[in-house]
Amino acid sequence: MKEHVIELLRSVDGGGFAVGYQSISNSNGNITTSGNSPVNITIDLGGNKYTVNPPSVGSSGTETNGFQFLKGSFVKICNGSMELKSGVKCAYLFQNYANLTLENVKVDISDNKPCEALIQSMHGIVNIIGNTSLISGDTYEWNSTDKGTQRTIKVMDWNNSAYGDGTQVTVNTTGTIDGSVYASYYNVDGQTDGTGKSTLTIKNGHFTKDISRYVHKNSPDIVITGGYFTSDPSAYCADGLTGIASGRADYPFTIGPKSVNKAEVAVAEPKV
């Protein structure tokens, strides 16, 4: 599959878009997609900032995404920053079914109240690498009955006939994941079983808030092998590993072997 490169030459305000569709139409000011025609695309921000404005995009009836990446496509966003403007009616900045890489980017949704998650992945392989930082706020509110915790990363298993491979998300960044991280499953079709293939793997990163998994057999497994954390990650550590004291005041926990005694977290002396 031939790679197409889009390079941003200056900071801009622009709308969201979909990648990997067969057809597109404009409905009430939103972009409606249908069909699937995979592509390989790299969006190089070139050190610039892309500010996301309307329109939102998505399949018919669900045009609620900043960006929609469809099954079979390869999408890479790198080298710059993205921000979701406060006035955009957007449920998910990146609604992912593709193979998505975020490398050396800073992405921020914290000023957008309707947005539930920066990334929602329901299919495909996602790699968050380099010096990538993801930022969300504390809460979202789509409407008076749909509100709750705003997430940086939301990994959702969906045992749909088209998405039986699940989604595998790996975080391996020297940057900061400043927001809640969550793994669960999508049960709109009433399946009793999940794909059994969806995972969230954390190898590195600086995590400022909670990491949690909805307790259900269909929810993706979370496996942590490295990183720095503000709360004890032991519940999700890989076999033989556990949360240990890091000696840092800002991120009191890191990962180490279970053979190391879990010392009480000691607050490091402030740097002068």
Side-chain angles (χ1 to χ4, degrees):
M1 191 183 302
K2 182 180 178 180
E3 180 184 13
H4 302 274
V5 178
I6 299 173
E7 185 172 358
L8 200 66
L9 299 180
R10 60 181 176 84
S11 295
V12 297
D13 288 10
F17 53 83
V19 171
Y21 54 83
Q22 282 181 326
S23 63
I24 189 167
S25 60
N26 193 302
S27 175
N28 299 319
N30 293 327
I31 301 300
T32 301
T33 63
S34 62
N36 192 29
S37 182
V39 297
N40 183 356
I41 186 169
T42 293
I43 302 168
D44 189 337
L45 300 173
N48 298 296
K49 180 179 180 180
Y50 189 95
T51 302
V52 182
N53 288 286
S56 55
V57 303
S59 302
S60 179
T62 59
E63 300 94 339
T64 55
N65 310 305
F67 299 85
Q68 183 186 40
F69 305 134
L70 301 187
K71 179 182 177 181
S73 289
F74 292 81
V75 181
K76 181 177 181 180
I77 302 174
C78 58
N79 304 328
S81 63
M82 302 184 76
E83 182 179 13
L84 180 61
K85 292 196 75 170
S86 60
V88 182
K89 187 72 169 178
C90 172
Y92 308 106
L93 179 59
F94 300 137
Q95 174 73 298
N96 184 67
Y97 304 91
N99 300 296
L100 172 64
T101 298
L102 301 178
E103 182 175 7
N104 299 326
V105 290
K106 178 182 178 181
V107 188
D108 188 347
I109 65 166
S110 60
D111 286 338
N112 186 280
K113 198 66 173 177
C115 191
E116 183 177 346
L118 193 157
I119 300 172
Q120 176 168 269
S121 188
M122 304 180 75
H123 181 266
I125 297 170
V126 178
N127 285 295
I128 300 166
I129 59 174
N131 185 28
T132 291
S133 291
L134 307 179
I135 303 166
S136 66
D138 293 326
T139 60
Y140 81 95
E141 183 172 347
W142 184 258
N143 56 43
S144 61
T145 60
D146 186 355
K147 54 187 175 180
T149 302
Q150 192 175 68
R151 318 281 188 184
T152 51
I153 302 169
K154 188 177 180 185
V155 185
M156 299 290 287
D157 186 82
W158 185 14
N159 194 14
N160 176 283
S161 59
Y163 304 122
D165 293 330
T167 183
Q168 297 78 41
V169 177
T170 300
V171 183
N172 189 10
T173 176
T174 57
T176 300
I177 308 301
D178 187 3
S180 176
V181 177
Y182 186 60
S184 187
Y185 74 103
Y186 192 53
N187 196 33
V188 68
D189 299 323
Q191 293 100 340
T192 57
D193 296 311
T195 67
K197 299 176 182 179
S198 296
T199 56
L200 170 60
T201 302
I202 295 172
K203 296 183 178 181
N204 196 18
H206 298 76
F207 294 81
T208 68
K209 296 182 182 178
D210 62 294
I211 299 169
S212 61
R213 175 183 180 271
Y214 183 71
V215 181
H216 192 279
K217 65 184 180 70
N218 292 354
S219 295
D221 288 331
I222 301 175
V223 180
I224 301 176
T225 60
Y228 291 88
F229 308 85
T230 57
S231 58
D232 189 350
S234 296
Y236 302 112
C237 286
D239 289 345
L241 298 176
T242 190
I244 63 172
S246 69
R248 294 179 55 167
D250 52 353
Y251 296 95
F253 296 92
T254 187
I255 308 299
K258 282 186 175 179
S259 58
V260 175
N261 291 330
K262 287 187 66 177
E264 293 183 4
V265 176
V267 176
E269 291 294 327
K271 294 182 180 179
V272 178

